[in-house]
Amino acid sequence: MTTPDDGGARPHDSGAPENEERTRDRVLQAVLKQGPVSAAELGESLGFTPAAVRRHLDTLSKQGLVEVKLTASQSAGAGRPARRYVLSQRGQTKLGNDYLDIATEALTELAEAAGPEAIHTFAARRFGAMERRYQPLVDAAGDDVTARADALAKALAEDGFVGYTREVGANLPEAMQSVQLCQGHCPIQGLAAEFPDFCEEETKTFARLLGVDVRRLSTLAGGGHVCTTHVPVGRHMTPQRAEKRTRIKINKQERPR
């Protein structure tokens, strides 16, 4: 008889328990896509018992692939932060490109031979290709900045960046409203940590695609749990209105002349 904890499957699941390593890899992938996430939420989405999920999380934590992030919980009450799991930097690297060391070494030699500007040119060319590929997808969403950010997040998700958006300041005046464009995974995290030009060029690419000035709040390469880009969704209209008011004042001053 199979107990709930034998392989992580619930009692009603059919077949033999999954291989331990395969099951742990599924848990790791789920933390990547859902994190910060609780053990109960992982169990619900994967169909495992909470006890089984915690066992795998403990192992992944000992391996340095996941870590606990304490967050405020409305249900837990004051003074009792909820335990949620996110990928560690080592976990991000494990799911990244196996050729990262080779790429880092190659770019280091490129910088030594041609100067730092060569790295900037390489990064700009790489994200230029991404911009050309994403442009029609983002443009298809129309002129609304939020819709464009959602379309960009979807394109990033399909490319393995685990992209999604979060609305911020919904109750604030239009000019202060924003969304956060998030990326839960970066295939070149180690490379970007060594060469910040990649993060800088990616941010510029997002600004051009969305048509507004954006600001990078955190990056995986910089030690954050997720890459977060602040996208204003109403402020882009304000300069136009201010310009019209200024023009009217100038006309009034010049009228006596």
Side-chain angles (χ1 to χ4, degrees):
M1 180 176 177
T2 302
T3 62
D5 285 351
D6 283 344
R10 294 188 184 279
H12 63 266
D13 291 346
S14 59
E18 288 185 270
N19 176 275
E20 286 284 297
E21 188 173 346
R22 257 174 75 191
T23 303
R24 253 193 303 276
D25 194 51
R26 285 187 63 194
V27 174
L28 186 65
Q29 290 285 348
V31 173
L32 163 66
K33 295 178 180 179
Q34 301 176 41
V37 62
S38 69
E41 290 168 339
L42 285 171
E44 185 66 28
S45 64
L46 294 173
F48 300 156
T49 63
V53 170
R54 289 191 184 93
R55 178 163 55 82
H56 290 301
L57 287 170
D58 286 343
T59 300
L60 291 170
S61 181
K62 290 176 182 177
Q63 293 173 348
L65 300 178
V66 302
E67 57 190 37
V68 174
K69 180 178 182 182
L70 298 179
T71 60
S73 173
Q74 295 179 349
S75 59
R80 298 178 57 188
R83 291 171 58 88
R84 294 185 173 274
Y85 294 86
V86 296
L87 253 64
S88 65
Q89 289 194 7
R90 184 176 178 182
Q92 290 281 348
T93 301
K94 175 181 171 64
L95 297 177
N97 196 324
D98 292 337
Y99 295 97
L100 180 60
D101 291 340
I102 298 175
T104 302
E105 183 178 347
L107 288 179
T108 300
E109 293 190 7
L110 174 63
E112 292 174 354
E117 186 61 28
I119 303 298
H120 177 78
T121 301
F122 178 83
R125 185 180 300 122
R126 179 183 185 276
F127 285 102
M130 171 190 280
E131 183 176 350
R132 289 189 294 274
R133 190 158 50 86
Y134 286 179
Q135 192 74 64
L137 302 175
V138 176
D139 286 347
D143 295 331
D144 181 74
V145 179
T146 301
R148 293 176 73 86
D150 289 339
L152 177 54
K154 182 179 179 181
L156 288 166
E158 291 175 352
D159 276 353
F161 290 90
V162 192
Y164 57 95
T165 59
R166 293 189 297 216
E167 188 175 335
V168 179
N171 298 324
L172 295 175
E174 179 186 7
M176 299 178 64
Q177 292 177 13
S178 64
V179 298
Q180 290 182 348
L181 175 64
C182 303
Q183 299 155 265
H185 179 55
C186 176
I188 60 168
Q189 178 183 342
L191 201 63
E194 192 74 23
F195 303 101
D197 302 70
F198 286 91
C199 289
E200 293 171 6
E201 285 302 316
E202 184 181 59
T203 304
K204 293 177 183 177
T205 298
F206 290 169
R208 290 192 296 268
L209 285 169
L210 298 175
V212 294
D213 290 330
V214 303
R215 181 163 52 94
R216 189 54 67 83
L217 301 180
S218 67
T219 63
L220 288 160
H225 295 303
V226 64
C227 293
T228 306
T229 304
H230 173 84
V231 182
V233 299
R235 192 181 308 163
H236 66 292
M237 299 179 63
T238 304
Q240 296 176 358
R241 293 171 181 167
E243 185 180 356
K244 290 179 180 178
R245 286 195 297 268
T246 302
R247 189 175 296 123
I248 292 172
K249 289 181 180 180
I250 292 173
N251 290 340
K252 287 181 179 180
Q253 291 173 356
E254 292 180 348
R255 193 171 296 169
R257 298 181 185 178

